[in-house]
Amino acid sequence: MMEKKFGIIGKPISHSLSPALHNLWFKKYNIFANYSLIEIEPQEIEGIIKKIRNGELQGINVTVPYKQAVIPFLDLIIDDAKETLSVNTISLNKEGKIVGNNTDVYGFEQSFVNKLSNQNLEKNRVLVLGAGGVTPSIIYALKKKKINEIFISNRTLKKAEEIKKKFSFTQIIEWKNIETKIQDMDIIINATSLGLKNGSDFKLEFKNINSNLIYYDIIYNPNETTMIKKFKKRNIQTFSGLEMFIYQAQKSFSLWNKINPEVNEEIKQIVATKLK
Ligand code: ATR
C-alpha cells in the first residue's frame, strides 16, 4: 500500500504542532500516512495544489499567511470556508475537484463558544482584537450563536474595515481607544499574534474591565500567554488557544480520513508537553 501524504503550508511554519498531532493519530488509527511541514513562498502555492490534483499529496492544511491566498487556486470552497473566505483544509473530492474547507470555525466553537452556551450568550458584547487570517472564522462562529454586538479592533484600521465589508454587523473600535471602551465588554478575544512565544506582547493594561469578563487567547504557544497569566491573577476566566488548535486538527483529520479522532485529556497533555 502507498503511504498517504499530508502537510501544512505556511510561512513561518517550523513551530507548528500539526505534524505531531496528525502523526500521532495516524499511528493510533493504523493509517499508513505521514504529515509534514511545508514552508513555501506565495509563488509556490500553485505547485502544491497541483500535487493534490495528481495524487502526490492527499491533503493539506493552510496557515498564516495563506488562508485567503490559496482560494484562487481551488476549484471550489464549501461550508464554513464559503462563509468566511478563509481556507485551512484542502483535499480532492470524488469528482476530482480541489476543495477548500475551513475547520477553524469548528475549532473555535468546540473549544469556546459551545462551552458558554447557557450563559445568555447572545446578550454578550464581544471584542475581537486583530484582523488577520483567523478573525473571519471567529466572527462567523460568534454570529452563528446569535451574538449581535461584535466589535473589532486592529492596529491597522484598514484591515478592520476590510473585515467589516464582509461582516457589516460588526462595529469597529480604533486601536487607540480600546482602553476606554473595554469596560463595556463581556468577552475579549485575542486574535492577534501578540503574546506568541519570542514575539511582542500587548502594551495595553486592560485597566477598566468588567469583573465578569471572559478572556480567550487564540495563541497556544505558550499555552499560558502573559495576558492569560495577568488575567488569572485578577480572577478573570481565561481560555487558551490549545483546544482550538486540537479541534481544528480533529475536523481536518476527519474530513481526510473519515475517522473522527478522539480528543481527550491525554491528547491535550501530549500537545501541551510538546510546547515546553
Ligand atoms: P496576517 O495579518 O498576515 O493575516 P495574522 O498572524 O493572521 O497575519 O494576523 C496578525 C494580527 O496580529 C493582525 O491583526 C496584526 O495587526 P496588523 O493588521 O496591524 O498588522 C496583529 N498584530 C501583530 N503584531 C502586532 C502588534 N505589535 N500590535 C498590534 N497588533 C499586532
Side-chain angles (χ1 to χ4, degrees):
M1 217 171 88
M2 278 267 287
E3 185 180 53
K4 290 184 180 171
K5 290 196 167 62
F6 298 86
I8 178 163
I9 62 166
K11 189 183 178 181
I13 193 88
S14 60
H15 298 294
S16 169
L17 289 182
S18 290
L21 185 50
H22 282 274
N23 287 326
L24 196 128
W25 280 332
F26 286 142
K27 209 169 164 190
K28 176 168 177 186
Y29 295 99
N30 286 312
I31 298 169
F32 186 42
N34 187 266
Y35 186 113
S36 59
L37 294 175
I38 309 170
E39 180 157 315
I40 61 166
E41 299 297 330
Q43 61 273 19
E44 295 174 277
I45 295 175
E46 191 171 10
I48 291 288
I49 303 293
K50 278 205 184 111
K51 288 189 179 182
I52 302 177
R53 209 182 283 284
N54 68 25
E56 278 178 68
L57 281 167
Q58 275 62 49
I60 55 170
N61 280 135
V62 183
T63 188
V64 202
Y66 302 133
K67 288 182 185 188
Q68 278 89 30
V70 294
I71 294 177
F73 302 100
L74 309 176
D75 296 326
L76 70 157
I77 54 173
I78 61 169
D79 304 336
D80 291 342
K82 213 164 138 183
E83 303 294 338
T84 56
L85 300 183
S86 168
V87 168
N88 80 328
T89 307
I90 302 176
S91 54
L92 194 69
N93 74 4
K94 286 204 190 78
E95 287 80 47
K97 299 254 191 267
I98 306 273
V99 182
N101 209 328
N102 171 310
T103 72
D104 289 330
V105 173
Y106 171 82
F108 183 64
E109 288 170 337
Q110 287 295 104
S111 64
F112 184 57
V113 195
N114 290 349
K115 295 185 181 179
L116 302 172
S117 55
N118 48 16
Q119 296 188 6
N120 243 338
L121 193 61
E122 57 282 13
K123 297 223 175 74
N124 279 254
R125 297 176 135 224
V126 185
L127 172 60
V128 181
L129 301 175
V134 76
T135 296
S137 299
I138 289 169
I139 292 173
Y140 178 61
L142 294 170
K143 188 64 182 171
K144 269 213 255 181
K145 285 287 176 188
K146 307 213 164 29
I147 296 175
N148 290 314
E149 295 208 73
I150 302 173
F151 301 82
I152 43 175
S153 190
N154 193 55
R155 176 182 60 180
T156 311
L157 181 63
K158 205 165 157 279
K159 280 173 70 185
E161 289 168 345
E162 285 302 315
I163 300 271
K164 191 175 164 68
K165 276 187 197 155
K166 172 141 188 59
F167 300 104
S168 57
F169 51 84
T170 56
Q171 304 175 57
I172 296 176
I173 292 177
E174 283 192 45
W175 190 258
K176 65 174 175 6
N177 294 338
I178 291 177
E179 207 74 80
T180 57
K181 301 279 184 184
I182 213 93
Q183 63 206 47
D184 301 332
M185 301 298 155
D186 301 296
I187 298 175
I188 298 176
I189 295 166
N190 175 30
T192 72
S193 50
L194 290 171
L196 253 178
K197 196 173 189 174
N198 305 324
S200 17
D201 218 315
F202 281 100
K203 292 193 176 70
L204 297 168
E205 285 188 61
F206 297 102
K207 251 193 210 144
N208 307 312
I209 51 169
N210 156 357
S211 60
N212 296 317
L213 179 78
I214 297 173
Y215 179 77
Y216 184 96
D217 208 320
I218 219 80
I219 288 173
Y220 65 86
N221 190 9
N223 193 2
E224 277 204 340
T225 59
T226 313
M227 280 320 303
I228 286 193
K229 283 190 185 131
K230 284 186 181 167
F231 278 125
K232 272 188 169 172
K233 274 195 194 136
R234 296 162 77 181
N235 286 320
I236 295 297
Q237 192 184 359
T238 62
F239 291 79
S240 118
L242 189 72
E243 283 197 25
M244 175 167 173
F245 165 71
I246 295 174
Y247 281 110
Q248 63 75 31
Q250 179 192 43
K251 187 166 176 187
S252 295
F253 190 97
S254 161
L255 289 170
W256 292 326
N257 303 297
K258 313 294 171 215
I259 290 172
N260 199 32
E262 193 186 350
V263 173
N264 52 26
E265 283 311 312
E266 189 195 353
I267 283 285
K268 288 177 202 171
Q269 224 33 67
I270 291 172
V271 177
T273 307
K274 293 212 187 282
L275 291 172
K276 282 167 196 153

